[in-house]
Amino acid sequence: AKAEGRNTLRFYSPDLESSSVNTISLETDLLKAISHEQFILHYQPKVDLGTGSIVGAEALLRWMRPDFGLTSPQTFIDIAEETGLINEIGAWVLNEACTQAAAWQSLGYGPFQIAVNLSPVQFFRQDIVQLVGETLERTGLRPEHLELELTEGSLLKDVERTRLTLQQLKQLGVRIAIDDFGVGYSSLSYLKNFAVDTLKIDRSFVFNLADGTRDEAIVRAIISLAESLGLKVVAEGVENNLQLGCLLSHPCDEAQGYLFSRPIPAEAFGTLMLERPRY
Ligand code: C2E
Ligand code: CA
Ligand code: CA
Ligand code: CA
């Protein structure tokens, strides 16, 4: 119904018309993006706050869209989901990320976990478990080195099905993270219903993080909740030392953000790994 609304103009509005045209050309471009090899992955390090070393990376999709330059997924993931293209794109991302992580592994970069974002559309596909299993086999990446990041919003649509799929994914040996934890209104239901491994504290809680703030109280509560449940906790969007200091005092397991590095191409990430920066 959403797709129909996009392509049919019900009443005249210049704005609506031009945005509709833009959407159609976005779709057309997106359709060609995989075969024209316009997608790449950038990698953002996850830093262990106990040791200061890089222990993993989140793979983030970028589209080298002709005439637009390097394009963030925020501008095209919705369309990709509505059109179903996300399935093909997501399979590409999974394969590319696992291939890269396996290569880093064989270069002897030590224990290293790659995190891949999974769209709810992909998650509810019949063959998602098979896709993940096959990708691991093909790329040779050990399952425990793959973490799938799921946003809260996606999981409660069908609790029984989600529970089953998560169970099957965990039987493969991969890890499951709840992304953007805390922004949804049902965060706690997820913890009650689903066996996950990791919580990623949404960056909206990290943004104003400083001692004595309300956000600090919330972050502290999430960290202690994660600890009681035996889950790993990762803070995202860490941009400054004030936020870092606060996280170190609680203590949070891992952090990710511009303070350590922006998402960067694979080659640059490899260099970063060799340098093993410490905070
Ligand atoms: P996300 O999973 O929450 O990813 C984190 C986003 O925060 C990334 O935006 C990252 O570049 C940005 N970020 C990282 N550190 C900082 C920081 O210190 N400050 C600020 N302000 N931002 C920071 P990006 O790469 O534009 O991705 C946006 C969203 O698009 C992601 O949010 C994720 O939901 C989605 N996405 C990205 N790659 C994929 C993918 O391969 N598949 C799917 N389904 N979704 C993806
Ligand atoms: Ca994510
Ligand atoms: Ca996130
Ligand atoms: Ca997000």
Coordinates of all heavy atoms in Angstrom, one line a residue, residues 3-39:
A3 N 3.9 1.4 -1.3 CA 4.5 1.6 -2.6 C 3.5 2.2 -3.6 O 3.9 3.0 -4.4 CB 5.0 0.2 -3.1
E4 N 2.3 1.8 -3.5 CA 1.3 2.3 -4.4 C 1.1 3.8 -4.1 O 1.1 4.6 -5.1 CB -0.1 1.6 -4.1 CG -1.2 2.0 -5.0 CD -2.5 1.4 -4.5 OE1 -2.7 0.2 -4.7 OE2 -3.3 2.2 -4.0
G5 N 1.1 4.2 -2.9 CA 0.9 5.6 -2.5 C 2.1 6.4 -3.1 O 1.9 7.6 -3.4
R6 N 3.2 5.8 -3.2 CA 4.4 6.5 -3.7 C 4.3 6.8 -5.2 O 4.8 7.8 -5.6 CB 5.7 5.7 -3.4 CG 6.4 6.3 -2.2 CD 7.9 5.8 -2.2 NE 8.2 4.7 -3.1 CZ 8.2 3.4 -2.8 NH1 8.0 3.1 -1.6 NH2 8.5 2.5 -3.7
N7 N 3.7 5.9 -5.9 CA 3.8 6.0 -7.3 C 2.5 6.6 -7.9 O 2.5 6.9 -9.1 CB 4.1 4.6 -7.9 CG 5.4 4.0 -7.5 OD1 6.3 4.8 -7.2 ND2 5.5 2.8 -7.4
T8 N 1.5 6.7 -7.2 CA 0.3 7.3 -7.7 C 0.0 8.6 -7.0 O -0.1 8.7 -5.8 CB -1.0 6.4 -7.4 OG1 -0.5 5.2 -6.8 CG2 -1.7 6.0 -8.7
L9 N -0.2 9.6 -7.8 CA -0.5 10.9 -7.3 C -2.0 11.0 -7.1 O -2.7 11.0 -8.1 CB 0.1 12.0 -8.2 CG 1.6 12.1 -8.2 CD1 2.0 13.2 -9.2 CD2 2.2 12.3 -6.9
R10 N -2.4 11.2 -5.9 CA -3.9 11.3 -5.7 C -4.4 12.7 -5.8 O -5.5 13.0 -6.1 CB -4.2 10.8 -4.2 CG -3.7 9.4 -4.0 CD -4.9 8.5 -3.6 NE -4.4 7.1 -3.7 CZ -3.8 6.5 -2.7 NH1 -3.6 7.1 -1.5 NH2 -3.5 5.2 -2.8
F11 N -3.5 13.7 -5.5 CA -3.9 15.1 -5.7 C -2.6 15.8 -6.1 O -1.5 15.4 -5.8 CB -4.5 15.7 -4.4 CG -3.6 15.4 -3.2 CD1 -2.6 16.2 -2.8 CD2 -3.9 14.3 -2.4 CE1 -1.8 15.9 -1.7 CE2 -3.1 14.0 -1.3 CZ -2.1 14.8 -0.9
Y12 N -2.8 17.0 -6.7 CA -1.7 17.6 -7.2 C -0.9 18.4 -6.1 O -1.5 19.2 -5.3 CB -2.1 18.6 -8.3 CG -0.8 19.3 -8.9 CD1 0.0 18.6 -9.7 CD2 -0.5 20.6 -8.5 CE1 1.2 19.2 -10.2 CE2 0.6 21.2 -9.0 CZ 1.5 20.5 -9.8 OH 2.6 21.1 -10.3
S13 N 0.4 18.2 -6.1 CA 1.2 19.0 -5.2 C 2.6 18.9 -5.9 O 3.1 17.8 -6.1 CB 1.3 18.4 -3.8 OG 2.5 18.5 -3.3
P14 N 3.2 20.1 -6.2 CA 4.5 20.1 -6.8 C 5.5 19.3 -6.0 O 6.3 18.6 -6.5 CB 4.9 21.6 -6.9 CG 3.6 22.3 -6.7 CD 2.7 21.4 -5.9
D15 N 5.5 19.5 -4.7 CA 6.5 18.9 -3.8 C 6.3 17.3 -3.9 O 7.3 16.6 -4.0 CB 6.2 19.3 -2.3 CG 6.9 20.6 -2.1 OD1 7.5 21.1 -3.0 OD2 6.7 21.1 -1.0
L16 N 5.1 16.9 -3.8 CA 4.8 15.5 -3.8 C 5.3 14.9 -5.1 O 5.9 13.8 -5.1 CB 3.3 15.3 -3.6 CG 2.9 13.8 -3.3 CD1 3.5 13.3 -2.0 CD2 1.3 13.8 -3.2
E17 N 5.0 15.6 -6.2 CA 5.3 15.1 -7.5 C 6.8 14.9 -7.6 O 7.3 13.9 -8.0 CB 4.8 16.1 -8.6 CG 5.1 15.5 -10.0 CD 4.4 16.3 -11.1 OE1 4.5 17.5 -11.0 OE2 3.7 15.6 -11.9
S18 N 7.6 16.0 -7.2 CA 9.0 15.8 -7.4 C 9.6 14.8 -6.5 O 10.5 14.0 -6.9 CB 9.7 17.2 -7.2 OG 9.7 17.6 -5.8
S19 N 9.0 14.6 -5.3 CA 9.6 13.6 -4.4 C 9.2 12.2 -4.9 O 9.9 11.3 -4.8 CB 9.1 13.8 -2.9 OG 7.9 13.2 -2.7
S20 N 8.1 12.1 -5.6 CA 7.7 10.8 -6.2 C 8.6 10.5 -7.3 O 9.1 9.3 -7.4 CB 6.2 10.9 -6.7 OG 5.9 9.8 -7.4
V21 N 9.0 11.4 -8.1 CA 9.9 11.2 -9.2 C 11.3 10.8 -8.6 O 11.9 9.9 -9.1 CB 10.1 12.5 -10.1 CG1 11.3 12.4 -11.0 CG2 8.8 12.7 -10.9
N22 N 11.7 11.5 -7.6 CA 13.0 11.1 -6.9 C 13.0 9.7 -6.4 O 14.0 9.0 -6.6 CB 13.3 12.1 -5.7 CG 13.7 13.4 -6.2 OD1 14.1 13.6 -7.4 ND2 13.6 14.4 -5.4
T23 N 11.8 9.3 -5.8 CA 11.8 7.9 -5.3 C 11.9 6.9 -6.4 O 12.5 5.9 -6.3 CB 10.4 7.8 -4.5 OG1 10.3 8.8 -3.6 CG2 10.4 6.4 -3.9
I24 N 11.2 7.2 -7.5 CA 11.2 6.3 -8.6 C 12.6 6.1 -9.2 O 13.1 5.1 -9.5 CB 10.2 6.6 -9.7 CG1 8.8 6.4 -9.2 CG2 10.4 5.8 -11.0 CD1 7.7 7.1 -10.0
S25 N 13.3 7.3 -9.3 CA 14.7 7.2 -9.9 C 15.6 6.5 -8.9 O 16.6 5.8 -9.2 CB 15.2 8.6 -10.3 OG 15.8 9.3 -9.2
L26 N 15.3 6.7 -7.6 CA 16.1 6.0 -6.6 C 16.0 4.5 -6.7 O 16.9 3.8 -6.7 CB 15.7 6.5 -5.2 CG 16.4 5.9 -3.9 CD1 17.8 6.2 -3.9 CD2 15.7 6.3 -2.6
E27 N 14.7 4.1 -6.9 CA 14.4 2.7 -7.1 C 15.2 2.1 -8.3 O 15.7 1.0 -8.2 CB 12.9 2.5 -7.3 CG 12.2 2.2 -6.0 CD 10.7 1.9 -6.2 OE1 10.4 1.2 -7.2 OE2 9.9 2.5 -5.5
T28 N 15.0 2.9 -9.4 CA 15.7 2.4 -10.6 C 17.2 2.3 -10.5 O 17.8 1.3 -10.9 CB 15.4 3.4 -11.8 OG1 14.1 3.9 -11.7 CG2 15.6 2.8 -13.1
D29 N 17.8 3.3 -9.8 CA 19.2 3.3 -9.6 C 19.6 2.1 -8.6 O 20.6 1.4 -8.9 CB 19.7 4.6 -8.9 CG 19.7 5.7 -9.9 OD1 19.4 5.5 -11.1 OD2 20.0 6.8 -9.5
L30 N 18.8 1.9 -7.6 CA 19.1 0.9 -6.6 C 19.1 -0.5 -7.3 O 19.9 -1.4 -6.9 CB 18.0 1.0 -5.5 CG 18.4 0.4 -4.1 CD1 19.7 1.0 -3.6 CD2 17.2 0.8 -3.1
L31 N 18.1 -0.7 -8.2 CA 18.0 -2.0 -8.9 C 19.3 -2.4 -9.6 O 19.6 -3.5 -9.7 CB 16.9 -1.8 -9.9 CG 16.0 -3.0 -10.3 CD1 15.4 -3.7 -9.1 CD2 14.9 -2.5 -11.3
K32 N 20.0 -1.4 -10.0 CA 21.2 -1.6 -10.8 C 22.5 -1.7 -9.9 O 23.6 -2.1 -10.4 CB 21.5 -0.5 -11.8 CG 20.5 -0.6 -13.0 CD 20.7 0.5 -14.0 CE 20.1 1.8 -13.6 NZ 20.1 2.9 -14.6
A33 N 22.3 -1.3 -8.7 CA 23.5 -1.0 -7.8 C 24.3 -2.3 -7.6 O 25.6 -2.2 -7.6 CB 23.1 -0.4 -6.5
I34 N 23.7 -3.4 -7.3 CA 24.4 -4.6 -7.1 C 25.2 -5.1 -8.3 O 26.4 -5.3 -8.2 CB 23.5 -5.8 -6.6 CG1 23.1 -5.5 -5.1 CG2 24.3 -7.1 -6.6 CD1 22.5 -6.7 -4.4
S35 N 24.5 -5.2 -9.4 CA 25.2 -5.8 -10.6 C 26.2 -4.8 -11.1 O 27.2 -5.2 -11.7 CB 24.1 -6.1 -11.7 OG 23.5 -4.9 -12.1
H36 N 26.1 -3.5 -10.8 CA 27.1 -2.5 -11.2 C 28.2 -2.3 -10.2 O 29.0 -1.4 -10.3 CB 26.4 -1.2 -11.6 CG 25.6 -1.3 -12.8 ND1 25.3 -0.2 -13.6 CD2 25.0 -2.3 -13.5 CE1 24.6 -0.5 -14.6 NE2 24.3 -1.8 -14.6
E37 N 28.1 -3.2 -9.2 CA 29.1 -3.2 -8.1 C 29.3 -1.8 -7.5 O 30.4 -1.3 -7.3 CB 30.5 -3.7 -8.6 CG 30.3 -5.2 -9.1 CD 31.6 -5.8 -9.5 OE1 32.7 -5.2 -9.4 OE2 31.5 -7.0 -10.0
Q38 N 28.2 -1.2 -7.1 CA 28.3 0.2 -6.5 C 28.2 0.1 -5.0 O 28.3 1.2 -4.4 CB 27.1 1.0 -7.1 CG 27.3 1.3 -8.6 CD 26.0 1.9 -9.2 OE1 25.0 2.0 -8.5 NE2 26.1 2.3 -10.5
F39 N 28.1 -1.0 -4.4 CA 28.0 -1.1 -3.0 C 29.4 -1.4 -2.4 O 30.2 -2.1 -3.0 CB 27.1 -2.2 -2.5 CG 25.6 -1.9 -2.6 CD1 24.8 -2.7 -3.4 CD2 25.1 -0.7 -2.1 CE1 23.5 -2.4 -3.5 CE2 23.8 -0.4 -2.2 CZ 22.9 -1.2 -2.9

